[in-house]
């Protein structure tokens, strides 16, 4: 079965600094990969997805992710963090059928 | 707003009871998924329906069941509730059965079992 591992359950950055959230996947076939964000007391919102069309994927709110097959990674980045980016971020891989298997999540804190 | 609605937002009930969670997918979406989010288990897939038929099962307990109705709304039934069933339950929907189409999540139902 396909799986994802998110490195770092908590990441703290200063406002204006680079955001880097790490995700590694395990898959025997070319994967479909997703990043979701969850704000407090809300559902999950899709940030971006990788479907093999392009290795660099741009999403909403200035986020992007790069698929690197050689490193089995799909890290999420944003050049300059905003206070409003504070949330929990989940990497997910589409598994058999179309169910999603999620990583454990990374809580992002943005300090003023 | 994802277009997926879930009711109720909060539910508090006692052990041994039965509850029903309701989900309405986005307009045009045929596939509905249920996920459970808890502190110890994280986000776990429970079950998927497509156009009224069950299509995939995950870590769903036998005490739990679901169905999708002709109007495509879905219900998740949880019975003989235990303290450990306290969690956030999400419904998601997508257009197709499989492929790269993204899933849109509802706001969730927070279940507290006392």
């Amino acid at each position: 079965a396909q799986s994802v591992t998110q490195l770092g359950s908590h990441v703290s950055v200063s406002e204006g600094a680079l955001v880097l959230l790490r995700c590694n996947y395990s898959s025997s076939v070319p994967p479909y990969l997703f990043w979701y964000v969850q704000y407090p007391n809300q559902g999950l919102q899709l940030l971006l997805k990788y479907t093999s069309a392009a290795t660099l994927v741009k999403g909403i709110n200035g986020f992007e992710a790069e698929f690197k097959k050689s490193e089995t990674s799909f890290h999420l980045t944003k050049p300059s963090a905003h206070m409003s980016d504070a949330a929990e971020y989940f990497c997910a891989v589409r598994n058999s059928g179309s169910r999603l298997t999620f990583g454990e999540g990374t809580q992002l804190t943005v300090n003023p | 707003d994802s277009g997926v609605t879930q009711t109720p937002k909060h539910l508090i009930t006692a052990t041994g009871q039965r509850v029903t969670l309701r989900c309405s997918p986005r307009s045009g979406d045929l596939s509905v998924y249920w996920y459970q989010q808890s502190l110890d288990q994280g986000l776990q897939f429970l079950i998927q329906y497509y156009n009224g038929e069950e299509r995939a099962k995950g870590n769903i307990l036998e005490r739990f069941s679901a169905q999708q109705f002709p109007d495509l709304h879905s219900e998740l039934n949880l019975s003989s509730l235990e303290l450990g069933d306290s969690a956030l339950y999400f419904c998601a929907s997508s257009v197709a059965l499989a492929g790269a189409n993204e899933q849109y999540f509802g706001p969730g139902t927070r279940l507290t079992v006392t």
Side-chain angles (χ1 to χ4, degrees), chain A residues 32 34 36 38 41-44 46 49 51 90 94 97-100 102, chain B residues 33 35 37 43 45 48 56-57 90 97-100 102-103 105-107:
Chain A
Y32 293 136
F34 305 81
Y36 282 85
Q38 184 179 26
N41 300 314
Q42 293 188 28
L44 282 78
L46 180 70
K49 68 177 182 180
T51 61
F90 292 92
R94 195 210 76 179
S98 53
R99 70 177 74 178
L100 293 176
F102 288 89
Chain B
Y33 311 78
Y35 292 87
Q37 184 179 33
L43 264 165
F45 167 76
Q48 177 196 5
K57 259 186 174 180
F90 287 112
L97 176 61
E102 53 262 41
Q103 296 179 20
F105 283 74

PDB file of all heavy atoms in Angstrom, chain A residues 32 34 36 38 41-44 46 49 51 90 94 97-100 102, chain B residues 33 35 37 43 45 48 56-57 90 97-100 102-103 105-107:
ATOM      1  N   TYR A  32      -0.368   9.760  -7.133  1.00  0.00           N
ATOM      2  CA  TYR A  32      -1.032  11.053  -7.108  1.00  0.00           C
ATOM      3  C   TYR A  32      -0.848  11.583  -5.681  1.00  0.00           C
ATOM      4  O   TYR A  32      -1.208  10.901  -4.727  1.00  0.00           O
ATOM      5  CB  TYR A  32      -2.521  10.935  -7.425  1.00  0.00           C
ATOM      6  CG  TYR A  32      -2.806  10.502  -8.842  1.00  0.00           C
ATOM      7  CD1 TYR A  32      -3.776   9.533  -9.116  1.00  0.00           C
ATOM      8  CD2 TYR A  32      -2.139  11.064  -9.923  1.00  0.00           C
ATOM      9  CE1 TYR A  32      -4.059   9.136 -10.408  1.00  0.00           C
ATOM     10  CE2 TYR A  32      -2.405  10.668 -11.218  1.00  0.00           C
ATOM     11  CZ  TYR A  32      -3.363   9.704 -11.463  1.00  0.00           C
ATOM     12  OH  TYR A  32      -3.638   9.307 -12.743  1.00  0.00           O
ATOM     13  N   PHE A  34      -1.051  14.908  -2.799  1.00  0.00           N
ATOM     14  CA  PHE A  34      -1.834  16.091  -2.443  1.00  0.00           C
ATOM     15  C   PHE A  34      -1.279  16.734  -1.176  1.00  0.00           C
ATOM     16  O   PHE A  34      -0.727  16.047  -0.310  1.00  0.00           O
ATOM     17  CB  PHE A  34      -3.302  15.708  -2.178  1.00  0.00           C
ATOM     18  CG  PHE A  34      -3.970  14.967  -3.304  1.00  0.00           C
ATOM     19  CD1 PHE A  34      -3.786  13.606  -3.465  1.00  0.00           C
ATOM     20  CD2 PHE A  34      -4.795  15.634  -4.198  1.00  0.00           C
ATOM     21  CE1 PHE A  34      -4.400  12.909  -4.503  1.00  0.00           C
ATOM     22  CE2 PHE A  34      -5.417  14.949  -5.236  1.00  0.00           C
ATOM     23  CZ  PHE A  34      -5.216  13.592  -5.390  1.00  0.00           C
ATOM     24  N   TYR A  36      -2.975  19.206   1.803  1.00  0.00           N
ATOM     25  CA  TYR A  36      -4.165  19.847   2.340  1.00  0.00           C
ATOM     26  C   TYR A  36      -3.766  20.693   3.547  1.00  0.00           C
ATOM     27  O   TYR A  36      -2.805  20.382   4.241  1.00  0.00           O
ATOM     28  CB  TYR A  36      -5.192  18.800   2.796  1.00  0.00           C
ATOM     29  CG  TYR A  36      -5.994  18.161   1.691  1.00  0.00           C
ATOM     30  CD1 TYR A  36      -5.516  17.063   0.982  1.00  0.00           C
ATOM     31  CD2 TYR A  36      -7.260  18.647   1.357  1.00  0.00           C
ATOM     32  CE1 TYR A  36      -6.272  16.469  -0.024  1.00  0.00           C
ATOM     33  CE2 TYR A  36      -8.020  18.055   0.356  1.00  0.00           C
ATOM     34  CZ  TYR A  36      -7.516  16.973  -0.324  1.00  0.00           C
ATOM     35  OH  TYR A  36      -8.272  16.389  -1.320  1.00  0.00           O
ATOM     36  N   GLN A  38      -5.428  22.486   7.157  1.00  0.00           N
ATOM     37  CA  GLN A  38      -6.569  22.488   8.078  1.00  0.00           C
ATOM     38  C   GLN A  38      -6.378  23.617   9.079  1.00  0.00           C
ATOM     39  O   GLN A  38      -5.451  23.587   9.894  1.00  0.00           O
ATOM     40  CB  GLN A  38      -6.687  21.147   8.806  1.00  0.00           C
ATOM     41  CG  GLN A  38      -7.909  21.054   9.709  1.00  0.00           C
ATOM     42  CD  GLN A  38      -8.028  19.708  10.392  1.00  0.00           C
ATOM     43  OE1 GLN A  38      -7.043  18.996  10.602  1.00  0.00           O
ATOM     44  NE2 GLN A  38      -9.253  19.335  10.740  1.00  0.00           N
ATOM     45  N   ASN A  41     -10.571  24.192  13.840  1.00  0.00           N
ATOM     46  CA  ASN A  41     -12.016  23.973  13.816  1.00  0.00           C
ATOM     47  C   ASN A  41     -12.623  24.042  12.419  1.00  0.00           C
ATOM     48  O   ASN A  41     -13.798  24.409  12.270  1.00  0.00           O
ATOM     49  CB  ASN A  41     -12.716  24.987  14.736  1.00  0.00           C
ATOM     50  CG  ASN A  41     -12.233  24.863  16.171  1.00  0.00           C
ATOM     51  OD1 ASN A  41     -12.135  23.762  16.696  1.00  0.00           O
ATOM     52  ND2 ASN A  41     -11.896  25.978  16.772  1.00  0.00           N
ATOM     53  N   GLN A  42     -11.823  23.696  11.421  1.00  0.00           N
ATOM     54  CA  GLN A  42     -12.339  23.678  10.058  1.00  0.00           C
ATOM     55  C   GLN A  42     -11.996  22.365   9.375  1.00  0.00           C
ATOM     56  O   GLN A  42     -11.226  21.552   9.903  1.00  0.00           O
ATOM     57  CB  GLN A  42     -11.764  24.846   9.254  1.00  0.00           C
ATOM     58  CG  GLN A  42     -12.228  26.215   9.720  1.00  0.00           C
ATOM     59  CD  GLN A  42     -11.797  27.311   8.775  1.00  0.00           C
ATOM     60  OE1 GLN A  42     -11.611  27.099   7.594  1.00  0.00           O
ATOM     61  NE2 GLN A  42     -11.641  28.518   9.320  1.00  0.00           N
ATOM     62  N   GLY A  43     -12.572  22.176   8.215  1.00  0.00           N
ATOM     63  CA  GLY A  43     -12.259  20.997   7.413  1.00  0.00           C
ATOM     64  C   GLY A  43     -10.960  21.170   6.668  1.00  0.00           C
ATOM     65  O   GLY A  43     -10.242  22.156   6.846  1.00  0.00           O
ATOM     66  N   LEU A  44     -10.638  20.209   5.822  1.00  0.00           N
ATOM     67  CA  LEU A  44      -9.400  20.240   5.050  1.00  0.00           C
ATOM     68  C   LEU A  44      -9.633  20.951   3.725  1.00  0.00           C
ATOM     69  O   LEU A  44     -10.622  20.722   3.042  1.00  0.00           O
ATOM     70  CB  LEU A  44      -8.898  18.821   4.772  1.00  0.00           C
ATOM     71  CG  LEU A  44      -8.200  18.129   5.930  1.00  0.00           C
ATOM     72  CD1 LEU A  44      -9.195  17.603   6.929  1.00  0.00           C
ATOM     73  CD2 LEU A  44      -7.320  16.996   5.416  1.00  0.00           C
ATOM     74  N   LEU A  46      -7.852  21.826  -0.009  1.00  0.00           N
ATOM     75  CA  LEU A  46      -6.795  21.409  -0.917  1.00  0.00           C
ATOM     76  C   LEU A  46      -5.900  22.590  -1.269  1.00  0.00           C
ATOM     77  O   LEU A  46      -6.374  23.634  -1.705  1.00  0.00           O
ATOM     78  CB  LEU A  46      -7.394  20.834  -2.188  1.00  0.00           C
ATOM     79  CG  LEU A  46      -6.393  20.361  -3.241  1.00  0.00           C
ATOM     80  CD1 LEU A  46      -5.665  19.106  -2.752  1.00  0.00           C
ATOM     81  CD2 LEU A  46      -7.085  20.076  -4.570  1.00  0.00           C
ATOM     82  N   LYS A  49      -2.057  19.648  -5.946  1.00  0.00           N
ATOM     83  CA  LYS A  49      -1.976  18.215  -6.210  1.00  0.00           C
ATOM     84  C   LYS A  49      -0.974  17.937  -7.314  1.00  0.00           C
ATOM     85  O   LYS A  49      -0.754  18.772  -8.213  1.00  0.00           O
ATOM     86  CB  LYS A  49      -3.345  17.654  -6.592  1.00  0.00           C
ATOM     87  CG  LYS A  49      -3.875  18.148  -7.942  1.00  0.00           C
ATOM     88  CD  LYS A  49      -5.201  17.476  -8.282  1.00  0.00           C
ATOM     89  CE  LYS A  49      -5.702  17.942  -9.651  1.00  0.00           C
ATOM     90  NZ  LYS A  49      -7.010  17.301  -9.997  1.00  0.00           N
ATOM     91  N   THR A  51      -0.135  15.268 -10.349  1.00  0.00           N
ATOM     92  CA  THR A  51      -0.758  14.193 -11.129  1.00  0.00           C
ATOM     93  C   THR A  51       0.121  13.752 -12.284  1.00  0.00           C
ATOM     94  O   THR A  51      -0.365  13.163 -13.240  1.00  0.00           O
ATOM     95  CB  THR A  51      -2.108  14.663 -11.685  1.00  0.00           C
ATOM     96  OG1 THR A  51      -1.877  15.795 -12.548  1.00  0.00           O
ATOM     97  CG2 THR A  51      -3.060  15.049 -10.586  1.00  0.00           C
ATOM     98  N   PHE A  90      -1.308  18.670   5.825  1.00  0.00           N
ATOM     99  CA  PHE A  90      -1.296  17.233   5.623  1.00  0.00           C
ATOM    100  C   PHE A  90      -0.886  16.907   4.187  1.00  0.00           C
ATOM    101  O   PHE A  90      -1.439  17.460   3.234  1.00  0.00           O
ATOM    102  CB  PHE A  90      -2.686  16.633   5.877  1.00  0.00           C
ATOM    103  CG  PHE A  90      -3.124  16.695   7.308  1.00  0.00           C
ATOM    104  CD1 PHE A  90      -3.854  17.776   7.774  1.00  0.00           C
ATOM    105  CD2 PHE A  90      -2.803  15.671   8.192  1.00  0.00           C
ATOM    106  CE1 PHE A  90      -4.275  17.837   9.101  1.00  0.00           C
ATOM    107  CE2 PHE A  90      -3.217  15.718   9.507  1.00  0.00           C
ATOM    108  CZ  PHE A  90      -3.949  16.802   9.969  1.00  0.00           C
ATOM    109  N   ARG A  94      -2.931   9.226  -3.039  1.00  0.00           N
ATOM    110  CA  ARG A  94      -4.125   8.492  -3.434  1.00  0.00           C
ATOM    111  C   ARG A  94      -3.791   7.025  -3.461  1.00  0.00           C
ATOM    112  O   ARG A  94      -2.812   6.611  -4.103  1.00  0.00           O
ATOM    113  CB  ARG A  94      -4.616   8.935  -4.802  1.00  0.00           C
ATOM    114  CG  ARG A  94      -6.032   8.486  -5.094  1.00  0.00           C
ATOM    115  CD  ARG A  94      -6.237   8.260  -6.540  1.00  0.00           C
ATOM    116  NE  ARG A  94      -5.630   7.015  -7.004  1.00  0.00           N
ATOM    117  CZ  ARG A  94      -5.683   6.560  -8.233  1.00  0.00           C
ATOM    118  NH1 ARG A  94      -6.302   7.266  -9.155  1.00  0.00           N
ATOM    119  NH2 ARG A  94      -5.121   5.428  -8.580  1.00  0.00           N
ATOM    120  N   GLY A  97      -8.279   2.468  -5.391  1.00  0.00           N
ATOM    121  CA  GLY A  97      -9.524   3.172  -5.611  1.00  0.00           C
ATOM    122  C   GLY A  97      -9.172   4.633  -5.635  1.00  0.00           C
ATOM    123  O   GLY A  97      -8.292   5.034  -6.370  1.00  0.00           O
ATOM    124  N   SER A  98      -9.789   5.437  -4.851  1.00  0.00           N
ATOM    125  CA  SER A  98      -9.370   6.829  -4.770  1.00  0.00           C
ATOM    126  C   SER A  98      -9.320   7.317  -3.329  1.00  0.00           C
ATOM    127  O   SER A  98      -9.341   8.510  -3.082  1.00  0.00           O
ATOM    128  CB  SER A  98     -10.289   7.712  -5.601  1.00  0.00           C
ATOM    129  OG  SER A  98     -11.629   7.506  -5.237  1.00  0.00           O
ATOM    130  N   ARG A  99      -9.211   6.372  -2.394  1.00  0.00           N
ATOM    131  CA  ARG A  99      -9.080   6.784  -0.997  1.00  0.00           C
ATOM    132  C   ARG A  99      -7.770   7.522  -0.812  1.00  0.00           C
ATOM    133  O   ARG A  99      -6.791   7.262  -1.503  1.00  0.00           O
ATOM    134  CB  ARG A  99      -9.117   5.571  -0.086  1.00  0.00           C
ATOM    135  CG  ARG A  99      -7.879   4.701  -0.186  1.00  0.00           C
ATOM    136  CD  ARG A  99      -7.900   3.555   0.769  1.00  0.00           C
ATOM    137  NE  ARG A  99      -8.816   2.506   0.381  1.00  0.00           N
ATOM    138  CZ  ARG A  99      -8.981   1.378   1.058  1.00  0.00           C
ATOM    139  NH1 ARG A  99      -8.310   1.177   2.166  1.00  0.00           N
ATOM    140  NH2 ARG A  99      -9.837   0.464   0.648  1.00  0.00           N
ATOM    141  N   LEU A 100      -7.730   8.423   0.139  1.00  0.00           N
ATOM    142  CA  LEU A 100      -6.513   9.140   0.465  1.00  0.00           C
ATOM    143  C   LEU A 100      -5.902   8.559   1.739  1.00  0.00           C
ATOM    144  O   LEU A 100      -6.614   8.270   2.702  1.00  0.00           O
ATOM    145  CB  LEU A 100      -6.798  10.618   0.686  1.00  0.00           C
ATOM    146  CG  LEU A 100      -7.248  11.427  -0.539  1.00  0.00           C
ATOM    147  CD1 LEU A 100      -7.593  12.840  -0.149  1.00  0.00           C
ATOM    148  CD2 LEU A 100      -6.172  11.412  -1.612  1.00  0.00           C
ATOM    149  N   PHE A 102      -3.274   9.703   4.499  1.00  0.00           N
ATOM    150  CA  PHE A 102      -2.671  10.945   4.974  1.00  0.00           C
ATOM    151  C   PHE A 102      -1.432  10.700   5.822  1.00  0.00           C
ATOM    152  O   PHE A 102      -1.315   9.674   6.499  1.00  0.00           O
ATOM    153  CB  PHE A 102      -3.675  11.733   5.827  1.00  0.00           C
ATOM    154  CG  PHE A 102      -4.794  12.349   5.041  1.00  0.00           C
ATOM    155  CD1 PHE A 102      -5.957  11.644   4.793  1.00  0.00           C
ATOM    156  CD2 PHE A 102      -4.677  13.633   4.545  1.00  0.00           C
ATOM    157  CE1 PHE A 102      -6.996  12.211   4.064  1.00  0.00           C
ATOM    158  CE2 PHE A 102      -5.704  14.218   3.821  1.00  0.00           C
ATOM    159  CZ  PHE A 102      -6.863  13.501   3.582  1.00  0.00           C
TER     160      PHE A 102
ATOM    161  N   TYR B  33     -16.820  10.039   0.526  1.00  0.00           N
ATOM    162  CA  TYR B  33     -15.865   9.365   1.396  1.00  0.00           C
ATOM    163  C   TYR B  33     -16.109   9.814   2.837  1.00  0.00           C
ATOM    164  O   TYR B  33     -16.454  10.966   3.081  1.00  0.00           O
ATOM    165  CB  TYR B  33     -14.422   9.753   1.029  1.00  0.00           C
ATOM    166  CG  TYR B  33     -14.073   9.666  -0.428  1.00  0.00           C
ATOM    167  CD1 TYR B  33     -14.475  10.669  -1.308  1.00  0.00           C
ATOM    168  CD2 TYR B  33     -13.331   8.605  -0.931  1.00  0.00           C
ATOM    169  CE1 TYR B  33     -14.162  10.609  -2.646  1.00  0.00           C
ATOM    170  CE2 TYR B  33     -13.002   8.549  -2.281  1.00  0.00           C
ATOM    171  CZ  TYR B  33     -13.429   9.546  -3.127  1.00  0.00           C
ATOM    172  OH  TYR B  33     -13.106   9.470  -4.455  1.00  0.00           O
ATOM    173  N   TYR B  35     -14.072   9.977   6.583  1.00  0.00           N
ATOM    174  CA  TYR B  35     -12.799   9.879   7.275  1.00  0.00           C
ATOM    175  C   TYR B  35     -13.015  10.190   8.745  1.00  0.00           C
ATOM    176  O   TYR B  35     -13.902  10.959   9.114  1.00  0.00           O
ATOM    177  CB  TYR B  35     -11.784  10.901   6.714  1.00  0.00           C
ATOM    178  CG  TYR B  35     -11.320  10.633   5.310  1.00  0.00           C
ATOM    179  CD1 TYR B  35     -12.047  11.123   4.217  1.00  0.00           C
ATOM    180  CD2 TYR B  35     -10.162   9.911   5.052  1.00  0.00           C
ATOM    181  CE1 TYR B  35     -11.617  10.892   2.912  1.00  0.00           C
ATOM    182  CE2 TYR B  35      -9.731   9.684   3.753  1.00  0.00           C
ATOM    183  CZ  TYR B  35     -10.465  10.175   2.697  1.00  0.00           C
ATOM    184  OH  TYR B  35     -10.037   9.938   1.401  1.00  0.00           O
ATOM    185  N   GLN B  37     -10.913  11.593  12.146  1.00  0.00           N
ATOM    186  CA  GLN B  37      -9.693  12.237  12.615  1.00  0.00           C
ATOM    187  C   GLN B  37      -9.675  12.214  14.131  1.00  0.00           C
ATOM    188  O   GLN B  37     -10.538  12.794  14.789  1.00  0.00           O
ATOM    189  CB  GLN B  37      -9.584  13.678  12.123  1.00  0.00           C
ATOM    190  CG  GLN B  37      -8.267  14.350  12.507  1.00  0.00           C
ATOM    191  CD  GLN B  37      -8.151  15.769  11.985  1.00  0.00           C
ATOM    192  OE1 GLN B  37      -9.135  16.497  11.877  1.00  0.00           O
ATOM    193  NE2 GLN B  37      -6.939  16.181  11.625  1.00  0.00           N
ATOM    194  N   LEU B  43      -5.730  10.969  10.641  1.00  0.00           N
ATOM    195  CA  LEU B  43      -6.807  10.966   9.648  1.00  0.00           C
ATOM    196  C   LEU B  43      -6.864   9.595   9.003  1.00  0.00           C
ATOM    197  O   LEU B  43      -5.929   9.171   8.333  1.00  0.00           O
ATOM    198  CB  LEU B  43      -6.524  12.002   8.574  1.00  0.00           C
ATOM    199  CG  LEU B  43      -7.181  13.364   8.718  1.00  0.00           C
ATOM    200  CD1 LEU B  43      -6.509  14.363   7.802  1.00  0.00           C
ATOM    201  CD2 LEU B  43      -8.661  13.284   8.402  1.00  0.00           C
ATOM    202  N   PHE B  45      -9.155   6.793   6.628  1.00  0.00           N
ATOM    203  CA  PHE B  45     -10.246   6.537   5.700  1.00  0.00           C
ATOM    204  C   PHE B  45     -11.164   5.465   6.270  1.00  0.00           C
ATOM    205  O   PHE B  45     -10.707   4.433   6.771  1.00  0.00           O
ATOM    206  CB  PHE B  45      -9.669   6.084   4.361  1.00  0.00           C
ATOM    207  CG  PHE B  45     -10.669   5.498   3.415  1.00  0.00           C
ATOM    208  CD1 PHE B  45     -11.554   6.314   2.722  1.00  0.00           C
ATOM    209  CD2 PHE B  45     -10.732   4.129   3.204  1.00  0.00           C
ATOM    210  CE1 PHE B  45     -12.471   5.774   1.847  1.00  0.00           C
ATOM    211  CE2 PHE B  45     -11.642   3.581   2.329  1.00  0.00           C
ATOM    212  CZ  PHE B  45     -12.518   4.403   1.646  1.00  0.00           C
ATOM    213  N   GLN B  48     -16.045   4.430   1.300  1.00  0.00           N
ATOM    214  CA  GLN B  48     -16.354   5.213   0.108  1.00  0.00           C
ATOM    215  C   GLN B  48     -17.597   4.671  -0.572  1.00  0.00           C
ATOM    216  O   GLN B  48     -17.769   3.450  -0.692  1.00  0.00           O
ATOM    217  CB  GLN B  48     -15.201   5.180  -0.886  1.00  0.00           C
ATOM    218  CG  GLN B  48     -15.480   5.911  -2.202  1.00  0.00           C
ATOM    219  CD  GLN B  48     -14.510   5.559  -3.312  1.00  0.00           C
ATOM    220  OE1 GLN B  48     -13.662   4.690  -3.159  1.00  0.00           O
ATOM    221  NE2 GLN B  48     -14.618   6.235  -4.437  1.00  0.00           N
ATOM    222  N   ALA B  56     -15.290   1.061  -1.498  1.00  0.00           N
ATOM    223  CA  ALA B  56     -14.041   0.768  -0.783  1.00  0.00           C
ATOM    224  C   ALA B  56     -14.278   0.898   0.707  1.00  0.00           C
ATOM    225  O   ALA B  56     -15.083   1.714   1.154  1.00  0.00           O
ATOM    226  CB  ALA B  56     -12.933   1.712  -1.222  1.00  0.00           C
ATOM    227  N   LYS B  57     -13.582   0.042   1.446  1.00  0.00           N
ATOM    228  CA  LYS B  57     -13.667   0.068   2.897  1.00  0.00           C
ATOM    229  C   LYS B  57     -12.282   0.212   3.475  1.00  0.00           C
ATOM    230  O   LYS B  57     -11.337  -0.422   3.022  1.00  0.00           O
ATOM    231  CB  LYS B  57     -14.294  -1.233   3.411  1.00  0.00           C
ATOM    232  CG  LYS B  57     -15.745  -1.122   3.793  1.00  0.00           C
ATOM    233  CD  LYS B  57     -16.228  -2.411   4.427  1.00  0.00           C
ATOM    234  CE  LYS B  57     -17.634  -2.263   4.937  1.00  0.00           C
ATOM    235  NZ  LYS B  57     -18.153  -3.484   5.557  1.00  0.00           N
ATOM    236  N   PHE B  90     -15.139  13.463   9.078  1.00  0.00           N
ATOM    237  CA  PHE B  90     -15.224  14.259   7.863  1.00  0.00           C
ATOM    238  C   PHE B  90     -15.867  13.468   6.740  1.00  0.00           C
ATOM    239  O   PHE B  90     -15.640  12.266   6.598  1.00  0.00           O
ATOM    240  CB  PHE B  90     -13.826  14.682   7.382  1.00  0.00           C
ATOM    241  CG  PHE B  90     -13.194  15.748   8.208  1.00  0.00           C
ATOM    242  CD1 PHE B  90     -12.082  15.467   8.984  1.00  0.00           C
ATOM    243  CD2 PHE B  90     -13.684  17.045   8.186  1.00  0.00           C
ATOM    244  CE1 PHE B  90     -11.481  16.456   9.744  1.00  0.00           C
ATOM    245  CE2 PHE B  90     -13.090  18.041   8.945  1.00  0.00           C
ATOM    246  CZ  PHE B  90     -11.996  17.737   9.726  1.00  0.00           C
ATOM    247  N   LEU B  97     -14.982   8.188  -9.667  1.00  0.00           N
ATOM    248  CA  LEU B  97     -14.700   7.058  -8.795  1.00  0.00           C
ATOM    249  C   LEU B  97     -13.228   6.985  -8.440  1.00  0.00           C
ATOM    250  O   LEU B  97     -12.858   6.667  -7.324  1.00  0.00           O
ATOM    251  CB  LEU B  97     -15.136   5.772  -9.489  1.00  0.00           C
ATOM    252  CG  LEU B  97     -14.831   4.459  -8.774  1.00  0.00           C
ATOM    253  CD1 LEU B  97     -15.540   4.425  -7.429  1.00  0.00           C
ATOM    254  CD2 LEU B  97     -15.262   3.284  -9.640  1.00  0.00           C
ATOM    255  N   ALA B  98     -12.384   7.260  -9.396  1.00  0.00           N
ATOM    256  CA  ALA B  98     -10.940   7.126  -9.174  1.00  0.00           C
ATOM    257  C   ALA B  98     -10.233   8.229  -9.941  1.00  0.00           C
ATOM    258  O   ALA B  98     -10.837   9.197 -10.368  1.00  0.00           O
ATOM    259  CB  ALA B  98     -10.473   5.749  -9.612  1.00  0.00           C
ATOM    260  N   GLY B  99      -8.928   8.072 -10.098  1.00  0.00           N
ATOM    261  CA  GLY B  99      -8.162   9.062 -10.822  1.00  0.00           C
ATOM    262  C   GLY B  99      -7.628  10.148  -9.907  1.00  0.00           C
ATOM    263  O   GLY B  99      -7.658  10.034  -8.694  1.00  0.00           O
ATOM    264  N   ALA B 100      -7.149  11.206 -10.526  1.00  0.00           N
ATOM    265  CA  ALA B 100      -6.484  12.267  -9.783  1.00  0.00           C
ATOM    266  C   ALA B 100      -7.427  13.342  -9.285  1.00  0.00           C
ATOM    267  O   ALA B 100      -6.989  14.329  -8.719  1.00  0.00           O
ATOM    268  CB  ALA B 100      -5.423  12.912 -10.664  1.00  0.00           C
ATOM    269  N   GLU B 102      -9.551  15.659  -7.191  1.00  0.00           N
ATOM    270  CA  GLU B 102      -9.375  15.957  -5.774  1.00  0.00           C
ATOM    271  C   GLU B 102     -10.656  15.716  -5.001  1.00  0.00           C
ATOM    272  O   GLU B 102     -11.745  15.730  -5.548  1.00  0.00           O
ATOM    273  CB  GLU B 102      -8.925  17.406  -5.583  1.00  0.00           C
ATOM    274  CG  GLU B 102      -9.801  18.429  -6.265  1.00  0.00           C
ATOM    275  CD  GLU B 102      -9.219  18.848  -7.607  1.00  0.00           C
ATOM    276  OE1 GLU B 102      -8.725  17.972  -8.345  1.00  0.00           O
ATOM    277  OE2 GLU B 102      -9.283  20.050  -7.911  1.00  0.00           O
ATOM    278  N   GLN B 103     -10.484  15.504  -3.713  1.00  0.00           N
ATOM    279  CA  GLN B 103     -11.609  15.347  -2.809  1.00  0.00           C
ATOM    280  C   GLN B 103     -11.822  16.659  -2.072  1.00  0.00           C
ATOM    281  O   GLN B 103     -10.873  17.283  -1.603  1.00  0.00           O
ATOM    282  CB  GLN B 103     -11.334  14.218  -1.816  1.00  0.00           C
ATOM    283  CG  GLN B 103     -11.215  12.863  -2.491  1.00  0.00           C
ATOM    284  CD  GLN B 103     -10.929  11.744  -1.519  1.00  0.00           C
ATOM    285  OE1 GLN B 103     -11.156  11.849  -0.323  1.00  0.00           O
ATOM    286  NE2 GLN B 103     -10.408  10.643  -2.042  1.00  0.00           N
ATOM    287  N   PHE B 105     -13.558  18.480   1.133  1.00  0.00           N
ATOM    288  CA  PHE B 105     -13.954  18.088   2.472  1.00  0.00           C
ATOM    289  C   PHE B 105     -14.992  19.030   3.064  1.00  0.00           C
ATOM    290  O   PHE B 105     -14.936  20.249   2.865  1.00  0.00           O
ATOM    291  CB  PHE B 105     -12.732  18.055   3.394  1.00  0.00           C
ATOM    292  CG  PHE B 105     -11.879  16.842   3.209  1.00  0.00           C
ATOM    293  CD1 PHE B 105     -11.060  16.695   2.100  1.00  0.00           C
ATOM    294  CD2 PHE B 105     -11.912  15.816   4.139  1.00  0.00           C
ATOM    295  CE1 PHE B 105     -10.289  15.560   1.912  1.00  0.00           C
ATOM    296  CE2 PHE B 105     -11.129  14.674   3.972  1.00  0.00           C
ATOM    297  CZ  PHE B 105     -10.321  14.545   2.865  1.00  0.00           C
ATOM    298  N   GLY B 106     -15.902  18.426   3.811  1.00  0.00           N
ATOM    299  CA  GLY B 106     -16.841  19.204   4.589  1.00  0.00           C
ATOM    300  C   GLY B 106     -16.203  19.706   5.870  1.00  0.00           C
ATOM    301  O   GLY B 106     -15.048  19.375   6.162  1.00  0.00           O
ATOM    302  N   PRO B 107     -16.941  20.485   6.653  1.00  0.00           N
ATOM    303  CA  PRO B 107     -16.394  21.062   7.884  1.00  0.00           C
ATOM    304  C   PRO B 107     -16.270  20.071   9.024  1.00  0.00           C
ATOM    305  O   PRO B 107     -15.629  20.369  10.030  1.00  0.00           O
ATOM    306  CB  PRO B 107     -17.404  22.161   8.228  1.00  0.00           C
ATOM    307  CG  PRO B 107     -18.679  21.695   7.616  1.00  0.00           C
ATOM    308  CD  PRO B 107     -18.299  20.962   6.368  1.00  0.00           C
TER     309      PRO B 107
END
